[in-house]
Amino acid sequence: MASAVLPSGSQRAAAAAAPPGLRLRLLLLLLSAAALIPAGDGQNLFTKDVTVIEGEVATISCQVNKSDDSVIQLLNPNRQTIYFRDFRPLKDSRFQLLNFSSSELKVSLTNVSISDEGRYFCQLYTDPPQESYTTITVLVPPRNLMIDIQKDTAVEGEEIEVNCTAMASKPATTIRWFKGDEELKGKSEVEEWSDMYTVTSQLVLKVHKQDDGVPVVCQVEHPAVTGNLQTQRYLEVQYKPQVHIQMTYPLQGLTREGDALELTCEAIGKPQPVMVTWMRVDDEMPQHAVLSGPNLFINNLNKTDNGTYRCEASNVVGKAHSDYMLYVYDTTATTEPAVHDSRAGEEGSIRAVDHAVIGGVVAVVVFAMLCLLIILGRYFARHKGTYFTHEAKGADDAADADTAIINAEGGQNNSEEKKEYFI
């Protein structure tokens, strides 16, 4: 069987709109396609969907299995003929023929835009006609990526808000947050406008002093983006001083009478403390002490200098201090020097523990144990003497040893005989 397939209205309109030189050729092609065409038994028309990034090239392919030279044509989403065989009636020069044969019609579309998205139809002139469509999906990467931070400078312990916006993408982007190498979780909102999406993500972050200078990164994930698309801002965090006392002299660390002592106060903060102050806790500073900036110098140490010395530093965020406990040894002292652990604090500080105090406590415990052993020894010795004395009773008045033994045995018998029972 054979049948006639008449040209469609869009095909006739495309022929009429063609330039005069091509109009006759197009009409002849349409009439030849409309002539008697063998039945399309066994022929199979197929195509594939296309995903392309905006501005790149999309390739559309209409393929035929077991072709019998039937006519193939390609139509756009408005069902206007792009190619009829190897002839292009459409004036859009972005469409170019890549391959034409009895089994394939392959066309490229350059500089793809979002308006090119939709269904494209492949038609095969058989009896009955066959039609298949391919969908072109256009991906649009974010037009712009912006990060905004609530405060340029934050104070330690504050919560700040950071926002990141990815504008005009298709589909909507996914935004991820990082603080250094640590991933954080934000809250995203999506706004759609004319098939395009704008995503804004908000991050609430509590800052600490160790966050100063650390980058906060907004990273975008999108199928049209290869590699890492990101923007970042560096945190600037102000924090109160951190104070540490360093003994610079004597080098061996043992402070004896007559020696000199030099302590250096190290204070680090943001903003940097402009000055530090020294004081003596619960007492006045020795008259022979010399203060020079962060340094404290005490010459000719004596036991009246014993005590706790405090270094204090402050900035616009707050203040902090560190304590040093001084113990002056005798000139003959050879014990290990005390280790002074100076730590910063707000209201008070943890004073250093002197090893000499610990040694004194240990000595008292050892002395108490020795005294207890002596008392216990004397107690057991007295009880043992009493036992021997009772055992020898009756032998004191004996003239000789035999008589003493007899008297002792007699004493035991007499003691037994003296037991009486009254009823």
Side-chain angles (χ1 to χ4, degrees), residues 113-125:
S113 66
I114 192 68
S115 61
D116 296 321
E117 196 172 62
R119 286 183 176 181
Y120 289 75
F121 301 91
C122 295
Q123 290 184 342
L124 181 65
Y125 280 84

Side-chain angles (χ1 to χ4, degrees), residues 2-67:
S3 62
V5 180
L6 297 178
S8 66
S10 62
Q11 294 167 348
R12 292 194 297 271
L22 298 176
R23 190 178 304 165
L24 180 58
R25 181 184 174 190
L26 180 58
L27 288 173
L28 291 175
L29 288 171
L30 290 173
L31 290 173
S32 64
L36 293 178
I37 300 175
D41 294 340
Q43 294 190 97
N44 183 23
L45 177 66
F46 66 95
T47 185
K48 295 180 180 179
D49 291 339
V50 178
T51 300
V52 62
I53 298 175
E54 184 183 37
E56 296 187 359
V57 179
T59 301
I60 307 170
S61 178
C62 302
Q63 295 181 326
V64 181
N65 282 337
K66 300 180 180 180
S67 173

